[in-house]
Amino acid sequence: MASEMMRAHLLLPEMLFAGGALVVLVGGSFTPRHRQWILRVVAAAVCLAVIIAAAIAMSYPANTAFDDSYAVDTATGVARILAAVGSLLVLALAGEEIAGAARESDAYALLLFATAGAVLLAGATDLLALVVGFLLASIPLYALIGLVGTGSATEAMLKTYLLGALFGILLLLGVTLLSGVTGTTTYTELAARLPDAPRAVVTAAAVAVIGGLMFKAGGVPAHFWIPDAAQGSMVTAATFLTTVPKIGALIAVHRLAGVLPEGSEWPAVVAALAVASMLLGNLAAYWQTDVRRLLGWSTVSQVGYLLVPIVATGRSDLAQPSLLVYLAGYTVTNVAAFAVTAALPRHRELTSWRGVAATSPWLSAALVVALLGLVGTPPTAVFVGKFTTASAAWDGGFAWLAAVVFANSVLSLFYYLRWLVPLYQPWAVAPPDRPGRWSVTVAVGSASLSLVVGVAAGLVWRTAGG
């Protein structure tokens, strides 16, 4: 009976991530620095194994493990695959940026541990499992940001750590309130008992838990660390922290919203966070001159779009599939944009990108696809994501929120164009540097995936719909 309740085998992808991270961490102590690429291959093999295992698991009916504290369903399956694909692309970038570095194997182990935490966040259906996922996704991230050892990276790491501690306490406060008024931590029992709990306490607890999860998502009001970390850390860490943790955190918010009673004010809270993230991210990005800082603010605005379908949770059947489709498009598109910056690491200012298209046409094409994709231009995947999230908001009775999505998409076009225009101008002083081979491959491959997901949106939608 106990094994029937545990069903530990359902967590094979999560165990592969955690086990692979341990193997890489221990193996790094016994592997010479010039051969640590072997551990990168091991980490990549783990990601591939997770993708296969998750795809197979999605062919079976939804189930739960560990006495209903962890859900193995479509949302978890998509999160596993997206997190593994995102980490795999980041590993390809890391090979060019940190190959032969003193902490190379440590970086790979941290990536796998943080990915395992993000996936645990996505599948958690128990408040205690949610806290475990939050901590596992957060702690490796602090070390990953500070791994490069520069002054700006150290500052970004400290800011991330302090904000992580603050919003972690907020998350624990919400968990304590919810468990205190209901006497349980599992989502199934919370859904049954929360309607009888004091409305003000439930609303306060929901605000605290969702606010804590905004730290992992990188949305307002826990967004301050994102631009600094994107600018100060190595591009491997910047790409990862703006992509993979969002997958787990936003699906976790969606799951929690599904058990909150209709009488609480959580939709208004999430809608306010969505609007604030979109507006602040877009307005702040407009004034940036450093391309990675611009992308950092861009990811803040993207969290706002991703929160829109969550507002419609319980009110529209389009909510979950539109969230998952948007996450799929955002993952590959955001990786493509950061991979372009990895290809030309010394080109940090917008003006330094003048003339790049003349010497690197494929890299420039990838950047055009990535940035227009983040705007929401067809036929890219993010366009489908924005269209479906707006449809979910409209279907759920939040037509004004759909209008805000389209208005912010138009607003964002201006700062993305500030980067695209110099690409096709003649260079002012000297031809651009020669881009890295792996970075160009990842950029072009991810941009191509963004187009493929956009064109094959029907298939992706059916998969996300379960």
Side-chain angles (χ1 to χ4, degrees):
M1 178 66 72
S3 61
E4 182 64 22
M5 293 170 60
M6 299 289 281
R7 301 189 188 100
H9 64 281
L10 295 178
L11 271 70
L12 177 61
E14 288 78 3
M15 289 188 281
L16 283 171
F17 274 131
L22 286 173
V23 169
V24 171
L25 185 64
V26 175
S29 302
F30 303 98
T31 306
R33 185 181 297 185
H34 67 281
R35 290 184 178 174
Q36 297 220 339
W37 60 269
I38 297 172
L39 299 169
R40 185 167 68 252
V41 174
V42 172
V46 168
C47 292
L48 288 172
V50 168
I51 293 171
I52 295 170
I56 294 173
M58 287 183 71
S59 64
Y60 292 93
N63 209 335
T64 60
F66 292 97
D67 199 15
D68 292 339
S69 63
Y70 196 82
V72 182
D73 53 13
T74 301
T76 303
V78 172
R80 287 166 166 173
I81 292 173
L82 291 181
V85 169
S87 298
L88 192 61
L89 294 171
V90 170
L91 284 169
L93 289 179
E96 201 164 68
E97 185 178 34
I98 60 175
R103 299 294 180 188
E104 183 180 359
S105 61
D106 296 341
Y108 304 147
L110 291 169
L111 284 171
L112 291 180
F113 276 127
T115 306
V119 175
L120 279 177
L121 270 177
T125 51
D126 186 289
L127 294 173
L128 298 181
L130 185 74
V131 172
V132 172
F134 180 89
L135 294 175
L136 186 56
S138 299
I139 295 172
L141 207 58
Y142 306 144
L144 201 58
I145 293 171
L147 211 56
V148 69
T150 62
S152 57
T154 303
E155 180 184 349
M157 180 188 67
L158 286 174
K159 181 178 286 187
T160 306
Y161 173 76
L162 291 174
L163 285 172
L166 176 64
F167 282 91
I169 292 171
L170 188 65
L171 175 73
L172 288 172
L173 174 64
V175 168
T176 303
L177 287 174
L178 285 176
S179 59
V181 296
T182 60
T184 184
T185 57
T186 62
Y187 284 13
T188 305
E189 295 183 12
L190 280 173
R193 300 181 188 182
L194 280 176
D196 299 326
R199 180 175 170 179
V201 176
V202 173
T203 301
V207 169
V209 175
I210 293 171
L213 289 172
M214 282 301 99
F215 170 74
K216 295 310 307 169
V220 173
H223 64 284
F224 294 105
W225 63 280
I226 290 281
D228 288 348
Q231 182 183 21
S233 62
M234 56 184 178
V235 70
T236 299
T239 309
F240 181 84
L241 68 89
T242 56
T243 307
V244 176
K246 288 181 177 11
I247 299 168
L250 289 162
I251 293 178
V253 175
H254 168 65
R255 285 195 192 280
L256 180 67
V259 301
L260 294 174
E262 293 185 1
S264 63
E265 302 297 332
W266 72 264
V269 172
V270 177
L273 295 177
V275 173
S277 296
M278 282 186 275
L279 274 175
L280 184 61
N282 285 329
L283 292 176
Y286 187 77
W287 304 106
Q288 304 306 316
T289 57
D290 184 293
V291 293
R292 291 184 193 170
R293 194 169 182 85
L294 183 151
L295 287 178
W297 281 111
S298 166
T299 66
V300 174
S301 70
Q302 294 293 327
V303 174
Y305 301 120
L306 285 159
L307 284 171
V308 169
I310 296 176
V311 178
T313 299
R315 293 170 171 78
S316 171
D317 293 335
L318 303 177
Q320 177 170 304
S322 60
L323 172 64
L324 299 181
V325 168
Y326 201 142
L327 282 171
Y330 171 76
T331 298
V332 293
T333 309
N334 191 60
V335 169
F338 273 96
V340 171
T341 69
L344 296 172
R346 293 196 299 177
H347 292 242
R348 301 296 293 268
E349 296 294 318
L350 288 173
T351 53
S352 66
W353 286 80
R354 287 186 63 177
V356 169
T359 55
S360 305
W362 285 103
L363 187 69
S364 301
L367 184 60
V368 170
V369 171
L371 296 187
L372 291 183
L374 291 173
V375 173
T377 306
T380 60
V382 175
F383 163 74
V384 180
K386 286 190 178 181
F387 183 77
T388 55
T389 54
S391 300
W394 189 288
D395 188 49
F398 298 92
W400 65 272
L401 202 50
V404 172
V405 168
F406 288 118
N408 273 277
S409 297
V410 174
L411 179 65
S412 68
L413 177 63
F414 295 102
Y415 66 82
Y416 289 124
L417 284 178
R418 288 184 65 219
W419 190 356
L420 290 179
V421 170
L423 281 179
Y424 296 94
Q425 293 177 335
W427 54 77
V429 180
D433 295 336
R434 186 171 183 176
R437 185 182 61 178
W438 274 102
S439 302
V440 173
T441 303
V442 173
V444 173
S446 301
S448 302
L449 275 175
S450 177
L451 292 173
V452 169
V453 173
V455 172
L459 177 62
V460 178
W461 179 266
R462 284 193 293 274
T463 304

